[in-house]
Amino acid sequence: MSNYFFLIFLATIIITRLFIFVYPISSPTFGKFRTHHYMYGLIGIFAGLVFHSVVLYAIGLGLFFDELTYILIRGKNHKDNYSKISLLGTLFLVVIVFIFRNYFILPFGI
């Protein structure tokens, strides 16, 4: 089950990165508030835990971790999301999740 979780997590990051690269559009804004996919990720993580769904949890974690390095480097634009430091940071986080994948699914009792 941990490999299944990791594959969904990794696929989420790859699909998100490809989509944002092919369609570099700004995220929706509400007034001066701009949404980012890490916010949807947090909702997915929470929903996965509440509904006991590894799939929702893995997708949410993928969306959150995909943007975490961008947030940490205080990225401002689309180019920052594809900077060397952002890509290396995301790769590092993917490796960490792979190494600890068994621990990430502990809340599901699997």
Side-chain angles (χ1 to χ4, degrees):
M1 183 56 80
S2 63
N3 290 333
Y4 176 70
F5 156 78
F6 180 75
L7 287 175
I8 295 169
F9 167 81
L10 182 61
T12 300
I13 291 175
I14 291 170
I15 291 167
T16 302
R17 287 277 169 164
L18 286 173
F19 184 82
I20 292 172
F21 184 76
V22 173
Y23 301 103
I25 57 174
S26 296
S27 51
T29 55
F30 301 97
K32 292 186 179 189
F33 180 75
R34 174 167 281 166
T35 61
H36 290 273
H37 60 273
Y38 82 88
M39 296 171 187
Y40 302 114
L42 290 172
I43 293 168
I45 292 167
F46 180 72
L49 291 170
V50 168
F51 296 113
H52 207 70
S53 170
V54 173
V55 174
L56 282 175
Y57 180 70
I59 291 170
L61 208 62
L63 289 171
F64 179 74
F65 274 30
D66 178 57
E67 203 163 12
L68 186 57
T69 304
Y70 177 77
I71 294 166
L72 293 174
I73 66 169
R74 297 178 185 201
K76 301 279 187 241
N77 55 41
H78 183 70
K79 189 175 178 180
D80 291 341
N81 201 31
Y82 285 93
S83 67
K84 187 183 245 184
I85 189 86
S86 181
L87 292 173
L88 287 174
T90 302
L91 179 61
F92 174 76
L93 292 170
V94 167
V95 169
I96 293 299
V97 170
F98 177 76
I99 292 169
F100 294 104
R101 66 192 180 280
N102 291 323
Y103 296 101
F104 278 97
I105 62 168
L106 283 177
F108 301 97
I110 301 170

